[in-house]
PDB file of all heavy atoms in Angstrom:
ATOM      1  N   LEU A  48      85.663  82.670  87.895  1.00 97.00           N
ATOM      2  CA  LEU A  48      85.329  81.824  86.754  1.00 97.00           C
ATOM      3  C   LEU A  48      86.342  82.033  85.617  1.00 97.00           C
ATOM      4  O   LEU A  48      86.836  81.067  85.065  1.00 97.00           O
ATOM      5  CB  LEU A  48      83.921  82.194  86.223  1.00 97.00           C
ATOM      6  CG  LEU A  48      82.722  81.944  87.078  1.00 97.00           C
ATOM      7  CD1 LEU A  48      81.496  82.595  86.444  1.00 97.00           C
ATOM      8  CD2 LEU A  48      82.519  80.430  87.262  1.00 97.00           C
ATOM      9  N   ILE A  49      86.530  83.314  85.249  1.00 97.00           N
ATOM     10  CA  ILE A  49      87.307  83.658  84.083  1.00 97.00           C
ATOM     11  C   ILE A  49      88.350  84.698  84.499  1.00 97.00           C
ATOM     12  O   ILE A  49      88.041  85.621  85.289  1.00 97.00           O
ATOM     13  CB  ILE A  49      86.414  84.282  82.968  1.00 97.00           C
ATOM     14  CG1 ILE A  49      85.318  83.339  82.542  1.00 97.00           C
ATOM     15  CG2 ILE A  49      87.250  84.787  81.800  1.00 97.00           C
ATOM     16  CD1 ILE A  49      85.774  82.193  81.683  1.00 97.00           C
ATOM     17  N   TYR A  50      89.593  84.603  83.989  1.00 96.00           N
ATOM     18  CA  TYR A  50      90.589  85.641  84.222  1.00 96.00           C
ATOM     19  C   TYR A  50      91.312  85.880  82.911  1.00 96.00           C
ATOM     20  O   TYR A  50      91.193  85.158  81.958  1.00 96.00           O
ATOM     21  CB  TYR A  50      91.553  85.199  85.341  1.00 96.00           C
ATOM     22  CG  TYR A  50      92.403  84.020  85.016  1.00 96.00           C
ATOM     23  CD1 TYR A  50      93.728  84.166  84.602  1.00 96.00           C
ATOM     24  CD2 TYR A  50      91.889  82.704  85.087  1.00 96.00           C
ATOM     25  CE1 TYR A  50      94.511  83.097  84.291  1.00 96.00           C
ATOM     26  CE2 TYR A  50      92.703  81.612  84.753  1.00 96.00           C
ATOM     27  CZ  TYR A  50      93.998  81.823  84.369  1.00 96.00           C
ATOM     28  OH  TYR A  50      94.792  80.764  84.053  1.00 96.00           O
ATOM     29  N   THR A  53      89.765  85.830  78.911  1.00 97.00           N
ATOM     30  CA  THR A  53      89.195  84.650  78.274  1.00 97.00           C
ATOM     31  C   THR A  53      89.531  83.338  78.906  1.00 97.00           C
ATOM     32  O   THR A  53      88.988  82.311  78.509  1.00 97.00           O
ATOM     33  CB  THR A  53      89.617  84.619  76.792  1.00 97.00           C
ATOM     34  OG1 THR A  53      91.069  84.472  76.786  1.00 97.00           O
ATOM     35  CG2 THR A  53      89.214  85.826  76.046  1.00 97.00           C
ATOM     36  N   LYS A  54      90.436  83.310  79.886  1.00 96.00           N
ATOM     37  CA  LYS A  54      90.939  82.050  80.420  1.00 96.00           C
ATOM     38  C   LYS A  54      89.990  81.494  81.508  1.00 96.00           C
ATOM     39  O   LYS A  54      89.671  82.231  82.446  1.00 96.00           O
ATOM     40  CB  LYS A  54      92.332  82.234  80.992  1.00 96.00           C
ATOM     41  CG  LYS A  54      93.353  82.617  79.921  1.00 96.00           C
ATOM     42  CD  LYS A  54      94.726  82.859  80.578  1.00 96.00           C
ATOM     43  CE  LYS A  54      95.738  83.316  79.524  1.00 96.00           C
ATOM     44  NZ  LYS A  54      97.053  83.608  80.086  1.00 96.00           N
ATOM     45  N   ARG A  55      89.665  80.256  81.388  1.00 96.00           N
ATOM     46  CA  ARG A  55      88.827  79.632  82.403  1.00 96.00           C
ATOM     47  C   ARG A  55      89.707  79.089  83.527  1.00 96.00           C
ATOM     48  O   ARG A  55      90.719  78.442  83.266  1.00 96.00           O
ATOM     49  CB  ARG A  55      88.001  78.490  81.847  1.00 96.00           C
ATOM     50  CG  ARG A  55      86.745  78.904  81.100  1.00 96.00           C
ATOM     51  CD  ARG A  55      85.924  77.697  80.640  1.00 96.00           C
ATOM     52  NE  ARG A  55      86.636  76.941  79.626  1.00 96.00           N
ATOM     53  CZ  ARG A  55      86.558  77.187  78.333  1.00 96.00           C
ATOM     54  NH1 ARG A  55      85.778  78.177  77.917  1.00 96.00           N
ATOM     55  NH2 ARG A  55      87.220  76.479  77.464  1.00 96.00           N
ATOM     56  N   LEU A  56      89.308  79.409  84.759  1.00 94.00           N
ATOM     57  CA  LEU A  56      90.035  78.818  85.879  1.00 94.00           C
ATOM     58  C   LEU A  56      89.817  77.320  85.869  1.00 94.00           C
ATOM     59  O   LEU A  56      88.746  76.883  85.449  1.00 94.00           O
ATOM     60  CB  LEU A  56      89.514  79.434  87.207  1.00 94.00           C
ATOM     61  CG  LEU A  56      90.348  79.157  88.468  1.00 94.00           C
ATOM     62  CD1 LEU A  56      91.697  79.857  88.395  1.00 94.00           C
ATOM     63  CD2 LEU A  56      89.597  79.564  89.728  1.00 94.00           C
ATOM     64  N   SER A  57      90.821  76.566  86.331  1.00 92.00           N
ATOM     65  CA  SER A  57      90.643  75.128  86.408  1.00 92.00           C
ATOM     66  C   SER A  57      89.362  74.796  87.173  1.00 92.00           C
ATOM     67  O   SER A  57      89.161  75.304  88.297  1.00 92.00           O
ATOM     68  CB  SER A  57      91.828  74.511  87.144  1.00 92.00           C
ATOM     69  OG  SER A  57      91.657  73.136  87.300  1.00 92.00           O
ATOM     70  N   GLY A  58      88.516  73.989  86.561  1.00 93.00           N
ATOM     71  CA  GLY A  58      87.257  73.623  87.197  1.00 93.00           C
ATOM     72  C   GLY A  58      86.057  74.391  86.661  1.00 93.00           C
ATOM     73  O   GLY A  58      84.908  74.023  86.899  1.00 93.00           O
ATOM     74  N   THR A  59      86.304  75.464  85.931  1.00 96.00           N
ATOM     75  CA  THR A  59      85.165  76.237  85.368  1.00 96.00           C
ATOM     76  C   THR A  59      84.707  75.490  84.107  1.00 96.00           C
ATOM     77  O   THR A  59      85.476  75.235  83.191  1.00 96.00           O
ATOM     78  CB  THR A  59      85.646  77.655  84.929  1.00 96.00           C
ATOM     79  OG1 THR A  59      86.056  78.363  86.094  1.00 96.00           O
ATOM     80  CG2 THR A  59      84.483  78.388  84.280  1.00 96.00           C
ATOM     81  N   PRO A  60      83.398  75.150  84.053  1.00 96.00           N
ATOM     82  CA  PRO A  60      82.902  74.427  82.865  1.00 96.00           C
ATOM     83  C   PRO A  60      83.110  75.240  81.603  1.00 96.00           C
ATOM     84  O   PRO A  60      83.066  76.481  81.614  1.00 96.00           O
ATOM     85  CB  PRO A  60      81.405  74.241  83.206  1.00 96.00           C
ATOM     86  CG  PRO A  60      81.330  74.359  84.680  1.00 96.00           C
ATOM     87  CD  PRO A  60      82.384  75.353  85.078  1.00 96.00           C
ATOM     88  N   ASP A  61      83.275  74.518  80.477  1.00 95.00           N
ATOM     89  CA  ASP A  61      83.484  75.235  79.234  1.00 95.00           C
ATOM     90  C   ASP A  61      82.191  75.877  78.694  1.00 95.00           C
ATOM     91  O   ASP A  61      82.172  76.493  77.635  1.00 95.00           O
ATOM     92  CB  ASP A  61      84.133  74.345  78.161  1.00 95.00           C
ATOM     93  CG  ASP A  61      83.315  73.108  77.854  1.00 95.00           C
ATOM     94  OD1 ASP A  61      82.172  72.994  78.336  1.00 95.00           O
ATOM     95  OD2 ASP A  61      83.831  72.223  77.146  1.00 95.00           O
ATOM     96  N   ARG A  62      81.079  75.743  79.436  1.00 97.00           N
ATOM     97  CA  ARG A  62      79.890  76.483  79.115  1.00 97.00           C
ATOM     98  C   ARG A  62      80.037  77.979  79.358  1.00 97.00           C
ATOM     99  O   ARG A  62      79.256  78.797  78.860  1.00 97.00           O
ATOM    100  CB  ARG A  62      78.668  75.997  79.996  1.00 97.00           C
ATOM    101  CG  ARG A  62      78.374  74.544  79.845  1.00 97.00           C
ATOM    102  CD  ARG A  62      77.111  74.127  80.625  1.00 97.00           C
ATOM    103  NE  ARG A  62      77.235  74.312  82.058  1.00 97.00           N
ATOM    104  CZ  ARG A  62      76.659  75.259  82.760  1.00 97.00           C
ATOM    105  NH1 ARG A  62      75.925  76.170  82.155  1.00 97.00           N
ATOM    106  NH2 ARG A  62      76.791  75.336  84.056  1.00 97.00           N
ATOM    107  N   PHE A  63      81.073  78.312  80.181  1.00 98.00           N
ATOM    108  CA  PHE A  63      81.348  79.697  80.464  1.00 98.00           C
ATOM    109  C   PHE A  63      82.486  80.217  79.611  1.00 98.00           C
ATOM    110  O   PHE A  63      83.524  79.551  79.449  1.00 98.00           O
ATOM    111  CB  PHE A  63      81.763  79.847  81.967  1.00 98.00           C
ATOM    112  CG  PHE A  63      80.679  79.550  82.942  1.00 98.00           C
ATOM    113  CD1 PHE A  63      80.404  78.237  83.314  1.00 98.00           C
ATOM    114  CD2 PHE A  63      79.889  80.566  83.486  1.00 98.00           C
ATOM    115  CE1 PHE A  63      79.397  77.936  84.224  1.00 98.00           C
ATOM    116  CE2 PHE A  63      78.913  80.272  84.384  1.00 98.00           C
ATOM    117  CZ  PHE A  63      78.654  78.958  84.756  1.00 98.00           C
ATOM    118  N   SER A  64      82.286  81.396  79.021  1.00 98.00           N
ATOM    119  CA  SER A  64      83.323  81.998  78.166  1.00 98.00           C
ATOM    120  C   SER A  64      83.419  83.471  78.421  1.00 98.00           C
ATOM    121  O   SER A  64      82.421  84.101  78.764  1.00 98.00           O
ATOM    122  CB  SER A  64      83.076  81.683  76.691  1.00 98.00           C
ATOM    123  OG  SER A  64      81.882  82.304  76.312  1.00 98.00           O
ATOM    124  N   GLY A  65      84.631  84.006  78.220  1.00 97.00           N
ATOM    125  CA  GLY A  65      84.836  85.451  78.360  1.00 97.00           C
ATOM    126  C   GLY A  65      85.360  86.018  77.039  1.00 97.00           C
ATOM    127  O   GLY A  65      86.102  85.359  76.339  1.00 97.00           O
TER     128      GLY A  65
END
Side-chain angles (χ1 to χ4, degrees):
Chain A
L48 294 171
I49 301 287
Y50 67 100
T53 62
K54 297 177 182 177
R55 280 185 292 272
L56 192 69
S57 175
T59 299
D61 59 8
R62 301 186 296 106
F63 293 83
S64 64

